[in-house]
Amino acid sequence: MKESKSNQIPSEKLWGGRFEEKASPIMERIGESISFDRKLYKEDLEGSRVHAKMLKSIGILDSQELDQILDGLKTIESEIESGKFTYTSELEDIHMHVEHRLTELKGDVGKKLHTARSRNDQVAQDVRLYIRNRIREILAIIEILREALLEQAKVNLDTIIPGYTHLQVAQPIRASHFLLAYFWMFTRDRNLFEFADSTNDELVLGSGAMAGVNYENDRDFLAKELGIPKISPNSMDAVSGRDHMLQFLFACTQTMLHASRFCEDLILYTSQEFGLVRLPDSLTTGSSIMPQKKNPDIAELIRGKAAKTIGNLNHLAVLLKGLPLTYNRDLQEDKISLFEASDTVLISLEGLAAMVKQMSFRPEKAERSLKDGFSTATDLADFLVGQKQVPFRTAHELVGKLVSECVKTNENLFTISESVRASISPHFTGEEYSRAISLELSADKKRSYGGTARDRQLEQMKLASESIDSKKRK
Ligand code: ARG
């Protein structure tokens, strides 16, 4: 942070009247939030503009004064955006910086701006505007990610890969199935952000410090100007409630959990051992010592960043627990988690979308794992049950024996000789046997709704497309 030269530091704080002593350096250092809440400058200026217009509409400012204030706020905005604005911890937070600079620029009229307003309702509104803006950005990037997942799913409809349980090869699936699993997770995340948005989008400005204000302020006007659909009905709740932020942080957390799980899959799948997926060089890094390395750093970093978001949610919950009504200074720190979590989600989703767009599957490696992992053993047992009237438990036992024989002789269901198979069961022979263990047929037999069969996948893709289109129409 740039420190202002001493002649620019105001001789008095904005509340200076009551105080005979200057704040001690520790009061200033521990009390400042400008080092982080300067991120709220746009929202603070927007709130102040609307507040000033409202003051004019109820006769506290005349039109000349309003014009001066609006002009001053515009100058401040360009000063901030061009890096010319001076920050000092003596002015504590973004709200006091703006008001102080306004007064420097426009004289006494600047001192009228804070009429019928407290920093308590001001910051509460700024934060709500900030969350609204971030949610818009997050929703946009979620759409990009969902489209990328659907696109990859279409490309990989006929790529058969292993599905895992216990991280052991379980059954053959279409790669589209794997990708669409994440599509639906991120769809639910989108829904959560929309829900958080509806809680968040409330007018709290006009609540004053906590009891309301001594002016006939026009909150309908404020709400309309800010494009907010509802007005908080209780000023005490308005200045101290943070449910909207909790919901936002929970949406961030759930999104990061999904992102992290996807990254974990990518980290595994791009490893030598799995080898199912390739990422482009541009999204990976090398090693300074090991020339052969290609590391999936983006995926690892997103997995790592998820930890911070979980911490942010926890931080806010603990911050709120036990706070008496109404505003307490502890609440100043809520923004640290809010900023961290929203920045983290945005950059992580961008990283994830880039990987999804550019990842490719390696069907030959997938086939190797599927065969070596006996992924169609269940299908073989079901063939005995369905076509040879063998009871399931017996079928399970027979296939188990065959697998055990393969393991002993380093074969798989595709390579083991027909004579060994026949010695275990006469049904393990001929074309029927080959069909029963086929990887592709196995996938297509999973015809239950939501399953991995080709036509079920097409059905899911249609649903996914509709979900994307309906979002676009909104
Ligand atoms: N910087 C403060 C915050 O973020 C603004 C509100 C200050 N209110 C007060 N009563 N000291 O919470």
Side-chain angles (χ1 to χ4, degrees), residues 182-199:
Y182 283 103
F183 178 94
W184 296 117
M185 288 180 235
F186 290 113
T187 302
R188 293 194 295 276
D189 298 336
R190 179 202 70 184
N191 297 343
L192 267 189
F193 278 112
E194 285 176 346
F195 177 64
D197 192 31
S198 67
T199 307

PDB file of all heavy atoms in Angstrom, residues 182-199:
ATOM      1  N   TYR A 182     -19.563 -34.950 -14.073  1.00  0.00           N
ATOM      2  CA  TYR A 182     -19.126 -33.628 -13.607  1.00  0.00           C
ATOM      3  C   TYR A 182     -20.034 -32.529 -14.141  1.00  0.00           C
ATOM      4  O   TYR A 182     -20.271 -31.528 -13.455  1.00  0.00           O
ATOM      5  CB  TYR A 182     -17.659 -33.390 -13.974  1.00  0.00           C
ATOM      6  CG  TYR A 182     -16.749 -34.148 -13.033  1.00  0.00           C
ATOM      7  CD1 TYR A 182     -16.119 -35.328 -13.424  1.00  0.00           C
ATOM      8  CD2 TYR A 182     -16.566 -33.710 -11.721  1.00  0.00           C
ATOM      9  CE1 TYR A 182     -15.318 -36.038 -12.538  1.00  0.00           C
ATOM     10  CE2 TYR A 182     -15.766 -34.412 -10.831  1.00  0.00           C
ATOM     11  CZ  TYR A 182     -15.144 -35.574 -11.241  1.00  0.00           C
ATOM     12  OH  TYR A 182     -14.366 -36.265 -10.360  1.00  0.00           O
ATOM     13  N   PHE A 183     -20.561 -32.726 -15.334  1.00  0.00           N
ATOM     14  CA  PHE A 183     -21.494 -31.727 -15.870  1.00  0.00           C
ATOM     15  C   PHE A 183     -22.640 -31.495 -14.876  1.00  0.00           C
ATOM     16  O   PHE A 183     -23.000 -30.364 -14.569  1.00  0.00           O
ATOM     17  CB  PHE A 183     -22.061 -32.201 -17.220  1.00  0.00           C
ATOM     18  CG  PHE A 183     -23.065 -31.263 -17.818  1.00  0.00           C
ATOM     19  CD1 PHE A 183     -22.670 -30.300 -18.732  1.00  0.00           C
ATOM     20  CD2 PHE A 183     -24.408 -31.322 -17.448  1.00  0.00           C
ATOM     21  CE1 PHE A 183     -23.594 -29.406 -19.275  1.00  0.00           C
ATOM     22  CE2 PHE A 183     -25.339 -30.435 -17.977  1.00  0.00           C
ATOM     23  CZ  PHE A 183     -24.928 -29.480 -18.900  1.00  0.00           C
ATOM     24  N   TRP A 184     -23.188 -32.591 -14.349  1.00  0.00           N
ATOM     25  CA  TRP A 184     -24.335 -32.440 -13.435  1.00  0.00           C
ATOM     26  C   TRP A 184     -23.903 -31.860 -12.096  1.00  0.00           C
ATOM     27  O   TRP A 184     -24.656 -31.127 -11.459  1.00  0.00           O
ATOM     28  CB  TRP A 184     -25.084 -33.771 -13.277  1.00  0.00           C
ATOM     29  CG  TRP A 184     -25.681 -34.204 -14.590  1.00  0.00           C
ATOM     30  CD1 TRP A 184     -25.381 -35.322 -15.303  1.00  0.00           C
ATOM     31  CD2 TRP A 184     -26.664 -33.490 -15.376  1.00  0.00           C
ATOM     32  NE1 TRP A 184     -26.100 -35.360 -16.484  1.00  0.00           N
ATOM     33  CE2 TRP A 184     -26.894 -34.253 -16.550  1.00  0.00           C
ATOM     34  CE3 TRP A 184     -27.357 -32.293 -15.208  1.00  0.00           C
ATOM     35  CZ2 TRP A 184     -27.795 -33.842 -17.544  1.00  0.00           C
ATOM     36  CZ3 TRP A 184     -28.251 -31.896 -16.202  1.00  0.00           C
ATOM     37  CH2 TRP A 184     -28.464 -32.666 -17.350  1.00  0.00           C
ATOM     38  N   MET A 185     -22.695 -32.186 -11.667  1.00  0.00           N
ATOM     39  CA  MET A 185     -22.211 -31.566 -10.419  1.00  0.00           C
ATOM     40  C   MET A 185     -22.130 -30.051 -10.564  1.00  0.00           C
ATOM     41  O   MET A 185     -22.589 -29.304  -9.700  1.00  0.00           O
ATOM     42  CB  MET A 185     -20.822 -32.110 -10.053  1.00  0.00           C
ATOM     43  CG  MET A 185     -20.844 -33.542  -9.563  1.00  0.00           C
ATOM     44  SD  MET A 185     -19.178 -34.098  -9.147  1.00  0.00           S
ATOM     45  CE  MET A 185     -19.079 -35.576 -10.174  1.00  0.00           C
ATOM     46  N   PHE A 186     -21.539 -29.611 -11.678  1.00  0.00           N
ATOM     47  CA  PHE A 186     -21.402 -28.155 -11.856  1.00  0.00           C
ATOM     48  C   PHE A 186     -22.749 -27.492 -12.147  1.00  0.00           C
ATOM     49  O   PHE A 186     -22.927 -26.301 -11.885  1.00  0.00           O
ATOM     50  CB  PHE A 186     -20.364 -27.838 -12.940  1.00  0.00           C
ATOM     51  CG  PHE A 186     -18.960 -28.178 -12.494  1.00  0.00           C
ATOM     52  CD1 PHE A 186     -18.240 -29.209 -13.092  1.00  0.00           C
ATOM     53  CD2 PHE A 186     -18.379 -27.498 -11.424  1.00  0.00           C
ATOM     54  CE1 PHE A 186     -16.957 -29.533 -12.660  1.00  0.00           C
ATOM     55  CE2 PHE A 186     -17.101 -27.821 -10.976  1.00  0.00           C
ATOM     56  CZ  PHE A 186     -16.387 -28.844 -11.592  1.00  0.00           C
ATOM     57  N   THR A 187     -23.699 -28.277 -12.635  1.00  0.00           N
ATOM     58  CA  THR A 187     -25.049 -27.735 -12.807  1.00  0.00           C
ATOM     59  C   THR A 187     -25.665 -27.451 -11.435  1.00  0.00           C
ATOM     60  O   THR A 187     -26.294 -26.414 -11.210  1.00  0.00           O
ATOM     61  CB  THR A 187     -25.915 -28.740 -13.592  1.00  0.00           C
ATOM     62  OG1 THR A 187     -25.281 -28.979 -14.852  1.00  0.00           O
ATOM     63  CG2 THR A 187     -27.325 -28.208 -13.815  1.00  0.00           C
ATOM     64  N   ARG A 188     -25.438 -28.379 -10.505  1.00  0.00           N
ATOM     65  CA  ARG A 188     -25.961 -28.136  -9.147  1.00  0.00           C
ATOM     66  C   ARG A 188     -25.250 -26.947  -8.499  1.00  0.00           C
ATOM     67  O   ARG A 188     -25.860 -26.181  -7.758  1.00  0.00           O
ATOM     68  CB  ARG A 188     -25.815 -29.393  -8.286  1.00  0.00           C
ATOM     69  CG  ARG A 188     -26.700 -30.551  -8.750  1.00  0.00           C
ATOM     70  CD  ARG A 188     -26.784 -31.635  -7.693  1.00  0.00           C
ATOM     71  NE  ARG A 188     -25.523 -32.287  -7.424  1.00  0.00           N
ATOM     72  CZ  ARG A 188     -25.017 -33.305  -8.128  1.00  0.00           C
ATOM     73  NH1 ARG A 188     -25.688 -33.791  -9.154  1.00  0.00           N
ATOM     74  NH2 ARG A 188     -23.859 -33.838  -7.794  1.00  0.00           N
ATOM     75  N   ASP A 189     -23.974 -26.788  -8.795  1.00  0.00           N
ATOM     76  CA  ASP A 189     -23.250 -25.619  -8.255  1.00  0.00           C
ATOM     77  C   ASP A 189     -23.868 -24.335  -8.788  1.00  0.00           C
ATOM     78  O   ASP A 189     -24.058 -23.368  -8.055  1.00  0.00           O
ATOM     79  CB  ASP A 189     -21.765 -25.677  -8.632  1.00  0.00           C
ATOM     80  CG  ASP A 189     -21.094 -26.897  -8.029  1.00  0.00           C
ATOM     81  OD1 ASP A 189     -21.597 -27.410  -7.009  1.00  0.00           O
ATOM     82  OD2 ASP A 189     -20.077 -27.350  -8.590  1.00  0.00           O
ATOM     83  N   ARG A 190     -24.176 -24.361 -10.068  1.00  0.00           N
ATOM     84  CA  ARG A 190     -24.829 -23.195 -10.663  1.00  0.00           C
ATOM     85  C   ARG A 190     -26.127 -22.878  -9.919  1.00  0.00           C
ATOM     86  O   ARG A 190     -26.396 -21.737  -9.555  1.00  0.00           O
ATOM     87  CB  ARG A 190     -25.133 -23.489 -12.140  1.00  0.00           C
ATOM     88  CG  ARG A 190     -25.822 -22.362 -12.847  1.00  0.00           C
ATOM     89  CD  ARG A 190     -26.559 -22.853 -14.063  1.00  0.00           C
ATOM     90  NE  ARG A 190     -27.709 -23.653 -13.700  1.00  0.00           N
ATOM     91  CZ  ARG A 190     -28.501 -24.279 -14.551  1.00  0.00           C
ATOM     92  NH1 ARG A 190     -28.254 -24.214 -15.832  1.00  0.00           N
ATOM     93  NH2 ARG A 190     -29.535 -24.971 -14.146  1.00  0.00           N
ATOM     94  N   ASN A 191     -26.905 -23.937  -9.651  1.00  0.00           N
ATOM     95  CA  ASN A 191     -28.170 -23.715  -8.938  1.00  0.00           C
ATOM     96  C   ASN A 191     -27.925 -23.102  -7.556  1.00  0.00           C
ATOM     97  O   ASN A 191     -28.681 -22.242  -7.109  1.00  0.00           O
ATOM     98  CB  ASN A 191     -28.937 -25.033  -8.784  1.00  0.00           C
ATOM     99  CG  ASN A 191     -29.335 -25.619 -10.129  1.00  0.00           C
ATOM    100  OD1 ASN A 191     -29.319 -24.912 -11.145  1.00  0.00           O
ATOM    101  ND2 ASN A 191     -29.670 -26.902 -10.154  1.00  0.00           N
ATOM    102  N   LEU A 192     -26.872 -23.563  -6.899  1.00  0.00           N
ATOM    103  CA  LEU A 192     -26.565 -23.014  -5.568  1.00  0.00           C
ATOM    104  C   LEU A 192     -26.196 -21.538  -5.646  1.00  0.00           C
ATOM    105  O   LEU A 192     -26.605 -20.744  -4.801  1.00  0.00           O
ATOM    106  CB  LEU A 192     -25.371 -23.757  -4.956  1.00  0.00           C
ATOM    107  CG  LEU A 192     -25.645 -24.952  -4.060  1.00  0.00           C
ATOM    108  CD1 LEU A 192     -24.349 -25.390  -3.387  1.00  0.00           C
ATOM    109  CD2 LEU A 192     -26.685 -24.614  -2.999  1.00  0.00           C
ATOM    110  N   PHE A 193     -25.412 -21.178  -6.656  1.00  0.00           N
ATOM    111  CA  PHE A 193     -25.055 -19.760  -6.797  1.00  0.00           C
ATOM    112  C   PHE A 193     -26.302 -18.923  -7.094  1.00  0.00           C
ATOM    113  O   PHE A 193     -26.428 -17.801  -6.617  1.00  0.00           O
ATOM    114  CB  PHE A 193     -23.994 -19.564  -7.888  1.00  0.00           C
ATOM    115  CG  PHE A 193     -22.597 -19.829  -7.386  1.00  0.00           C
ATOM    116  CD1 PHE A 193     -21.876 -20.919  -7.841  1.00  0.00           C
ATOM    117  CD2 PHE A 193     -22.013 -18.990  -6.443  1.00  0.00           C
ATOM    118  CE1 PHE A 193     -20.588 -21.168  -7.362  1.00  0.00           C
ATOM    119  CE2 PHE A 193     -20.732 -19.231  -5.962  1.00  0.00           C
ATOM    120  CZ  PHE A 193     -20.015 -20.324  -6.425  1.00  0.00           C
ATOM    121  N   GLU A 194     -27.206 -19.484  -7.861  1.00  0.00           N
ATOM    122  CA  GLU A 194     -28.435 -18.732  -8.150  1.00  0.00           C
ATOM    123  C   GLU A 194     -29.253 -18.539  -6.877  1.00  0.00           C
ATOM    124  O   GLU A 194     -29.835 -17.482  -6.639  1.00  0.00           O
ATOM    125  CB  GLU A 194     -29.244 -19.437  -9.243  1.00  0.00           C
ATOM    126  CG  GLU A 194     -28.592 -19.217 -10.604  1.00  0.00           C
ATOM    127  CD  GLU A 194     -29.267 -19.967 -11.743  1.00  0.00           C
ATOM    128  OE1 GLU A 194     -30.090 -20.872 -11.471  1.00  0.00           O
ATOM    129  OE2 GLU A 194     -28.950 -19.640 -12.910  1.00  0.00           O
ATOM    130  N   PHE A 195     -29.248 -19.575  -6.048  1.00  0.00           N
ATOM    131  CA  PHE A 195     -29.958 -19.476  -4.768  1.00  0.00           C
ATOM    132  C   PHE A 195     -29.285 -18.428  -3.875  1.00  0.00           C
ATOM    133  O   PHE A 195     -29.952 -17.565  -3.282  1.00  0.00           O
ATOM    134  CB  PHE A 195     -29.979 -20.851  -4.078  1.00  0.00           C
ATOM    135  CG  PHE A 195     -30.623 -20.821  -2.723  1.00  0.00           C
ATOM    136  CD1 PHE A 195     -31.961 -20.501  -2.576  1.00  0.00           C
ATOM    137  CD2 PHE A 195     -29.869 -21.096  -1.587  1.00  0.00           C
ATOM    138  CE1 PHE A 195     -32.546 -20.458  -1.314  1.00  0.00           C
ATOM    139  CE2 PHE A 195     -30.451 -21.052  -0.328  1.00  0.00           C
ATOM    140  CZ  PHE A 195     -31.786 -20.726  -0.190  1.00  0.00           C
ATOM    141  N   ALA A 196     -27.959 -18.493  -3.801  1.00  0.00           N
ATOM    142  CA  ALA A 196     -27.219 -17.510  -2.993  1.00  0.00           C
ATOM    143  C   ALA A 196     -27.516 -16.101  -3.501  1.00  0.00           C
ATOM    144  O   ALA A 196     -27.692 -15.159  -2.725  1.00  0.00           O
ATOM    145  CB  ALA A 196     -25.722 -17.794  -3.050  1.00  0.00           C
ATOM    146  N   ASP A 197     -27.617 -15.976  -4.818  1.00  0.00           N
ATOM    147  CA  ASP A 197     -27.901 -14.682  -5.431  1.00  0.00           C
ATOM    148  C   ASP A 197     -29.247 -14.143  -4.962  1.00  0.00           C
ATOM    149  O   ASP A 197     -29.387 -12.965  -4.641  1.00  0.00           O
ATOM    150  CB  ASP A 197     -27.887 -14.855  -6.960  1.00  0.00           C
ATOM    151  CG  ASP A 197     -27.875 -13.526  -7.685  1.00  0.00           C
ATOM    152  OD1 ASP A 197     -27.305 -12.567  -7.129  1.00  0.00           O
ATOM    153  OD2 ASP A 197     -28.431 -13.440  -8.787  1.00  0.00           O
ATOM    154  N   SER A 198     -30.239 -15.046  -4.881  1.00  0.00           N
ATOM    155  CA  SER A 198     -31.567 -14.555  -4.506  1.00  0.00           C
ATOM    156  C   SER A 198     -31.602 -14.135  -3.030  1.00  0.00           C
ATOM    157  O   SER A 198     -32.306 -13.205  -2.670  1.00  0.00           O
ATOM    158  CB  SER A 198     -32.644 -15.587  -4.838  1.00  0.00           C
ATOM    159  OG  SER A 198     -32.483 -16.713  -4.015  1.00  0.00           O
ATOM    160  N   THR A 199     -30.835 -14.782  -2.188  1.00  0.00           N
ATOM    161  CA  THR A 199     -30.771 -14.352  -0.781  1.00  0.00           C
ATOM    162  C   THR A 199     -30.006 -13.035  -0.675  1.00  0.00           C
ATOM    163  O   THR A 199     -30.341 -12.148   0.108  1.00  0.00           O
ATOM    164  CB  THR A 199     -29.997 -15.389   0.069  1.00  0.00           C
ATOM    165  OG1 THR A 199     -30.573 -16.666  -0.134  1.00  0.00           O
ATOM    166  CG2 THR A 199     -30.033 -15.044   1.546  1.00  0.00           C
TER     167      THR A 199
END
